[in-house]
Amino acid sequence: MSKILVTGGAGFIGAHLVKELLARGDEVVIVDDFNNRYDPKLKEARVSELLPDFPTDVLIREDVSDAEAMAKVFANHKFDAVVHLAAWAAVQRSIDEPLTYSNANINGTIVMLEEARKHNVKNFVFASSSSVYGGREEMPLSETDDVSKPISPYAATKVAGEALCATWNYLYDLPISAVRFFTVYGPWGRPEMALFKFTEAIEEGRTIEMRGSETKRDFTFIDDIVQGLLGAIDNPPAGYEIYNLGNQDAVPLPRFIKAIEAALDKKATITDVPLPPGDVPQTLADISKAKERLGYKPTTSIEEGVKKFVSWYQDWYLPNFRK
Ligand SMILES: NC(=O)c1ccc[n+]([C@@H]2O[C@H](COP(=O)([O-])OP(=O)(O)OC[C@H]3O[C@@H](n4cnc5c(N)ncnc54)[C@H](O)[C@@H]3O)[C@@H](O)[C@H]2O)c1
């Protein structure tokens, strides 16, 4: 049994991860500030529904960039591993509020790395993103590719986070895995993500905006991401390593929309709009490194995963959240 700090544990990926960690007998402390980037009621609901018995004294409602508050957390607990997921996600909003993003994503990461090295933590996992690859056109995207040209402030904060991880590993020998998630989706997902917005709009009979009919995304189902994260937690590297966690299937938007239509049994009305600045045209992960070193093995097709999301949306979200 390990004692694991999960920052962002009330978030989409975090809550699913904590559920699995508890199920296998690990002890978990959560730090999450329940900020209002999207409806905090959904974060509260993830905790009450996915983690119903989670003890309130280790559900710490603080900001990861608050150095004093984080020093207290590390003084009160001896962690075997830190999984740092807390961040402001979403590309478009980062263009409007770059400073909010840099504070949470860059300063917050420095605070966590500092506390981890001061307390001699032997295992640090950092949530990075496929967005670090920027507008790169050659596919698949591999961990050794250049990431020096991010195209949104959000992506730039993730490139910075990785650079900080490399630095803390160099200075203090802190073992760190940076995991680059590729468009994660599934039940309890974030309301501003395409799957959520498209499902809502189709269900309500509104027109959906298809941002670039040529756009392709390597959508990765939440259960597969959690399996990859557990692999990273269980296999701390000797130094600093980066892993792509994708599904190795570049899904064109029309196929994605078809999967939602099939799951809802309802036709979409679609209008084509150009890809907005900041959004990357395509992603496709080379996952051979994570397969080999972490035992990562994604198994969920977009059609199956969308069906599971839509079932959750109809059975839980609509009855509880529809205004
Ligand atoms: N979902 C994806 O497709 C995806 C893709 C690539 C990378 N990521 C990264 O994975 C991580 C988790 O993403 P998610 O989709 O679960 O997003 P999310 O927004 O649902 O979860 C993030 C959680 O962190 C918390 N948080 C944010 N800033 C904080 C701060 N300063 N202090 C304390 N808590 C804070 C939020 O309240 C939220 O509960 C993020 O780092 C994100 O950038 C996600």
Side-chain angles (χ1 to χ4, degrees):
M1 189 187 87
S2 299
K3 187 165 189 177
I4 301 178
L5 171 62
V6 179
T7 72
F12 167 41
I13 298 172
H16 282 280
L17 173 68
V18 173
K19 185 175 190 294
E20 283 309 301
L21 289 171
L22 296 176
R24 69 183 206 170
D26 288 321
E27 204 182 323
V28 178
V29 173
I30 289 177
V31 171
D32 198 300
D33 67 356
F34 291 79
N35 66 61
N36 65 359
R37 191 183 66 74
Y38 60 82
D39 191 348
K41 286 209 288 294
L42 185 58
K43 300 176 186 183
E44 299 287 354
R46 287 192 191 110
V47 174
S48 58
E49 298 283 325
L50 292 177
L51 317 170
D53 303 317
F54 200 82
T56 46
D57 60 326
V58 285
L59 176 58
I60 299 164
R61 293 167 183 266
E62 298 281 3
D63 184 330
V64 288
S65 67
D66 180 339
E68 233 172 82
M70 291 307 104
K72 274 192 201 141
V73 174
F74 279 78
N76 289 338
H77 302 276
K78 172 96 191 96
F79 297 118
D80 299 297
V82 172
V83 185
H84 180 41
L85 303 172
W88 279 53
V91 162
Q92 289 306 318
R93 185 150 171 196
S94 77
I95 297 173
D96 302 326
E97 291 179 56
L99 279 175
T100 314
Y101 275 69
S102 68
N103 189 49
N105 299 9
I106 300 179
N107 295 355
T109 299
I110 293 177
V111 169
M112 297 316 297
L113 287 167
E114 265 297 86
E115 287 305 321
R117 70 98 184 160
K118 281 186 201 158
H119 293 270
N120 210 18
V121 172
K122 292 292 177 216
N123 192 1
F124 192 99
V125 180
F126 171 68
S128 188
S129 162
S130 60
S131 65
V132 298
Y133 293 109
R136 190 180 169 84
E137 285 176 1
E138 300 81 31
M139 299 287 133
L141 299 162
S142 157
E143 291 89 346
T144 51
D145 291 342
D146 175 36
V147 294
S148 63
K149 294 186 190 68
I151 62 169
S152 69
Y154 167 69
T157 67
K158 290 296 178 184
V159 174
E162 290 189 358
L164 291 164
C165 288
T167 309
W168 259 252
N169 170 256
Y170 171 78
L171 289 174
Y172 309 110
D173 271 341
L174 173 60
I176 306 180
S177 311
V179 285
R180 293 177 177 164
F181 302 138
F182 281 65
T183 320
V184 189
Y185 72 100
W188 300 98
R190 300 195 331 246
E192 91 289 355
M193 291 190 80
L195 176 55
F196 218 120
K197 288 201 306 194
F198 286 0
T199 301
E200 253 173 346
I202 299 171
E203 201 268 332
E204 292 169 11
R206 285 185 282 113
T207 303
I208 60 171
E209 286 190 344
M210 184 158 72
R211 296 173 161 195
S213 53
E214 302 297 308
T215 305
K216 289 182 186 154
R217 283 282 179 282
D218 195 353
F219 292 100
T220 314
F221 190 62
I222 183 65
D223 294 1
D224 292 324
I225 286 294
V226 168
Q227 190 252 331
L229 269 170
L230 294 177
I233 294 166
D234 294 341
N235 297 281
Y240 169 58
E241 295 292 344
I242 300 171
Y243 300 102
N244 281 344
L245 296 182
N247 194 45
Q248 231 167 21
D249 183 15
V251 175
L253 283 187
R255 177 176 155 206
F256 178 58
I257 294 167
K258 273 205 182 82
I260 306 173
E261 289 176 327
L264 281 170
D265 193 20
K266 199 163 177 186
K267 280 295 284 166
T269 318
I270 304 170
T271 170
D272 283 349
V273 296
L275 193 67
D279 272 14
V280 302
Q282 58 172 329
T283 60
L284 172 63
D286 173 349
I287 57 171
S288 43
K289 185 175 171 187
K291 270 184 170 167
E292 191 190 312
R293 307 227 194 142
L294 309 181
Y296 176 60
K297 214 170 128 218
T299 57
T300 315
S301 71
I302 190 72
E303 286 76 15
E304 283 170 74
V306 163
K307 222 187 264 174
K308 289 183 183 173
F309 170 81
V310 168
S311 294
W312 168 80
Y313 177 83
Q314 291 175 322
D315 298 346
W316 191 87
Y317 185 80
L318 282 185
N320 289 286
F321 269 74
R322 170 151 278 172
K323 295 182 183 87

